[in-house]
Each structure stands twice: as structure tokens, then as C-alpha cells.
Amino acid sequence: MAELSDVFFVDGMRTPFGRAGEKGMYWNTRADDLAVKATIGLMERNGQVPGDRIDDIAIAATSQTGDQGLTLGRSVGILAGLPQTVPGFAIDRMCAGAMTSVAMMSASIASGMYEVALAGGVEHMGHHPIGANADPNPRFVAERMVDPNALNMGVTAERIHDRFPHLTKQRADRYGMLSQQKAQAAYEAGKLQPDLVPVAITGADGAWGLATEDEGRRPETTMEGLASLKTPFRPHGRVTAGTSSPLTDGATMSLLAGGDAVKELGLAPKMKLVSFAFAGVQPEIMGIGPIPSTEKALRKAGLDIADIGLFELNEAFAIQVISLLDHFGIADDDPRVNQWGGAIAVGHPLAATGVRLMIQLAAQFAERPDVRYGLTAMCVGLGQGGSVIWENPNYDGKKKK
């Protein structure tokens, strides 16, 4: 029986995220090619890892059809030029797809079954709108298991406002505005660009171009502008486009390894896995899912929320993040939270986002040796939450001055 191994996030890269739809930069790009680009970029940056050392490839997608079908892990591995001896598979946990890819590959490494693995996700929401071709079982509604509106993420966000009236629209608007500002400041400071893989694209006119930045940012966002936006999910509601993640195309990929492989290959890991957890909640209010999953991950790690020095929380909706912060007694504008902005600004290509959170946390760890632990967390459709706690290998025990 193999001994339990430490698990390390060695590195991660992603494509720039694009607006979904005919006007988006990836309209003429295949979904699997986005995942291929992220994989090639990651392997090229980690050239000391031989391709034949990859034990498995897990790639997530929420809509596994068309150019997001055909067992993505396997097909992308072949298309990316990895040896055909490397297997692969596909995963679906809706928004937490890539996070689940990392969790499952990490568990395989921890148990000693794998040594090195790739884990990521892709979503082309322009080609495959959320829920397209889905056929929910009629028993959900007929037997009153789930409210029909539970499949509308915007409606579930409105219900968080209903449940917690003190989490006002104004607070959500301000959070959305700050996300845009922080993302723009991060771009101007060159924080995000090092982990982006440029992608060759073609426009409607056939002209070639190069995608190098996230397309959907709106740094000019103001509170006045947000206050005037329509509430598409409910008349006189509180959730708007300015406090929601936009429909997005993009792909992410991470390289994971066990302790022995790290030493053998001379790798310099960016994070060490501490714990992960997933939890279920009522589908009608799915946005609170990260609360119990974070409590579970903290319990497994023997930690308290006060031990977390950096947070990367997916901004499916501003209210969803605020509800978690409020639960744990953390201010909406706490500098530990999403300091380089989040999905409201850069986009949320569903199954890809989990690794985007990890990439940003890893980059922040490198700058913050005073921080020991960080959290990546997100809500999941149909009432789930996912959380992963990481340790900073650069931690020096000194408090920041």
C-alpha cells in the first residue's frame, strides 16, 4: 500500500477570457482548442516535466457536447502533443468543474496512485449557453423536489437578498464596482498577464488577431451607472449585470505533483494542498454553498477562518460573495479578499474558473511570504459549494509591516 503523499500545485496557466457570443473574440475558436492552448502553455513553461510523466488529465466542462465533448482530457492531451500513453477524462460539477478536477487529481496523488497530473476546465458559453440541450428530469418539479427557478442562477441570487435583507443592493453594487477597479489596477500593475497564454483568433471578417487580455472588463463602472441598470431576473429586483459575472469563454490548466515527484524533477511548487471539501445546500439558494463547504474544509484542516490570510472567491454574483463574508464576519472590502478583482470583472467560464482562482492565489502567495494559508471557494449550480485550502510554501512566519 502506497504511503500518503503531500500534494502540490506546481503551476497554472489560462487563456484570456472572452465575451461569449458572436461579438466575442472566441466566436470562431473551438472550445477544445482553448483547452489545448492552456495545456501547451503550461507544459512549455514547465519543460522539466516530461510529457510521459503525466499520469492523467482531468478537464471539466459543464456542457459536454459538440466541441466540448469527446472525453476532453483524452482528446485535449492528444491535440496538445502529449504522448498517446497519457490517459485523460472529463468531469462535470457545473461551475466547480476545474476545482473538482484538481480535487480528484490531488486525491489520486495523495493516495500514491499518481505522481504528476494535469487538471483544468473549459467553457465556451458562446457555443454552449448554460443549460442548452439540458433535459431536467420532470420529477424535480412534479414531485416538488426543486423549484423550477432553481435552474436560473440569477433568481437564486435574488433569493439570497431575500433571505438576508441587510445585504442590500447598494452593498452588492459597491462590491461589483470595486471588483472592476481592482482588476484594472492588477492589469496596470502587470499582476495577471504572466499567467495568460496568448491565443490566435480570427474575426468575423477573417482577419487574424491575438487574444492577450480578458475582454469583458469595465473599469469605468460607477455607483451611479450601476444604480440605473435593469434587474433582469425579477421586476424591481437587486441583481443586475453589474453585480453578476458575464457570460464568458475560456480555459484553465494546472500542474499538480506529489512530494517525491517535486524532488525528483526539481520543481518549485507555488502552493501545497491542505484540504478540500464540497457541500450541498438547497438548489433554490445555491449561492450560499461555499459557506458549509468552507466550514467543512476548515474543520478537516484543523483551522479557523482567522487563519486564512488570502481569499480567492468566485464572484458568480456579488451577493453570493457578500453572503459568505458576512457569515464569517469579514468586511465586504477586506483587503484579503479578491485583491486583484474577480469574475464580475474578468468573467466566469463556468467549469474553468476554479483553477483561475488558484492561479491568482498562487501569484499572491509569491508576493506575500507573511501569509501562510489561502482559500479558493465557489458556489455551484443545483445547490453546492466547493472550497480548497492551500498553504504558502514561501511562508516565513514574519508579519507584514
Side-chain angles (χ1 to χ4, degrees):
M1 183 68 180
E3 295 183 2
L4 290 178
S5 170
D6 288 334
V7 181
F8 296 93
F9 181 99
V10 177
D11 197 8
M13 296 192 77
R14 67 177 178 90
T15 68
F17 290 169
R19 290 193 189 98
E22 294 185 24
K23 295 182 180 179
M25 61 188 184
Y26 293 137
W27 181 248
N28 294 317
T29 304
R30 289 179 58 96
D32 48 12
D33 282 337
L34 291 175
V36 167
K37 286 291 186 180
T39 303
I40 291 174
L42 181 63
M43 292 302 293
E44 287 181 347
R45 192 159 82 173
N46 295 273
Q48 70 272 48
V49 179
D52 59 7
R53 289 299 302 274
I54 304 298
D55 288 305
D56 212 345
I57 307 171
I59 300 181
T62 301
S63 299
Q64 295 190 15
T65 184
D67 58 350
Q68 278 181 190
L70 201 61
T71 313
L72 277 167
R74 176 59 171 167
S75 58
V76 167
I78 293 173
L79 291 166
L82 290 169
Q84 294 192 10
T85 53
V86 178
F89 63 106
I91 274 181
D92 172 20
R93 200 198 295 264
M94 294 192 182
C95 301
M99 179 175 282
T100 303
S101 297
V102 169
M104 296 304 100
M105 292 294 93
S106 294
S108 298
I109 292 170
S111 67
M113 299 300 108
Y114 291 172
E115 294 181 308
V116 184
L118 295 178
V122 61
E123 207 75 49
H124 199 306
M125 299 182 75
H127 293 177
H128 310 288
I130 186 169
N133 298 317
D135 182 18
N137 194 301
R139 289 183 55 220
F140 280 134
V141 176
E143 299 181 19
R144 298 185 179 181
M145 296 178 182
V146 175
D147 186 289
N149 284 327
L151 298 178
N152 185 314
M153 301 300 102
V155 172
T156 68
E158 287 281 7
R159 285 177 172 161
I160 302 180
H161 278 292
D162 294 341
R163 182 171 292 194
F164 306 111
H166 64 288
L167 303 180
T168 63
K169 180 180 185 299
Q170 288 71 27
R171 285 176 66 173
D173 283 353
R174 184 168 184 271
Y175 186 92
M177 179 185 70
L178 290 176
S179 179
Q180 297 287 353
Q181 293 176 352
K182 289 189 288 186
Q184 184 63 24
Y187 258 100
E188 291 174 358
K191 303 293 188 183
L192 303 179
Q193 294 92 322
D195 297 315
L196 301 183
V197 179
V199 178
I201 55 176
T202 55
D205 58 358
W208 286 91
L210 194 65
T212 59
E213 294 188 357
D214 298 313
E215 186 179 23
R217 307 193 316 277
R218 301 182 298 275
E220 71 283 357
T221 299
T222 64
M223 288 294 286
E224 293 75 19
L226 291 172
S228 66
L229 293 177
K230 296 179 179 179
T231 57
F233 306 112
R234 178 188 294 175
H236 311 294
R238 289 144 295 189
V239 179
T240 70
T243 55
S244 308
S245 56
L247 303 179
T248 313
D249 306 330
T252 60
M253 188 58 66
S254 66
L255 174 64
L256 308 169
D260 290 345
V262 164
K263 292 178 182 177
E264 177 192 347
L265 299 173
L267 306 177
K270 296 182 175 182
M271 301 193 293
K272 178 182 176 182
L273 179 73
V274 178
S275 70
F276 66 80
F278 296 90
V281 296
Q282 288 178 289
E284 292 82 0
I285 192 166
M286 66 93 195
I288 65 171
I291 294 174
S293 65
T294 296
E295 291 176 332
K296 197 173 179 181
L298 288 168
R299 188 166 62 250
K300 289 177 179 293
L303 298 174
D304 184 85
I305 196 69
D307 295 313
I308 305 300
L310 288 168
F311 296 78
E312 275 297 321
L313 309 175
N314 185 37
E315 298 169 356
F317 301 93
I319 184 60
Q320 175 260 315
V321 178
I322 292 172
S323 67
L324 181 144
L325 298 178
D326 184 73
H327 176 84
F328 287 110
I330 300 170
D332 297 354
D333 59 354
D334 191 301
R336 296 173 295 170
V337 178
N338 292 12
Q339 62 176 5
W340 295 347
I344 290 173
V346 302
H348 172 31
L350 301 183
T353 289
V355 166
R356 196 266 305 166
L357 301 175
M358 297 169 193
I359 290 169
Q360 289 190 198
L361 179 62
Q364 292 164 29
F365 269 173
E367 296 184 353
R368 296 290 302 277
D370 59 304
V371 171
R372 185 171 185 180
Y373 298 110
L375 171 73
T376 53
M378 61 199 311
C379 62
V380 190
L382 274 183
Q384 299 182 81
S387 302
V388 188
I389 297 174
W390 301 93
E391 184 173 8
N392 186 358
N394 309 297
Y395 178 65
D396 61 11
K398 298 177 183 178
K399 291 185 177 181
K400 187 178 181 181
K401 295 182 180 180

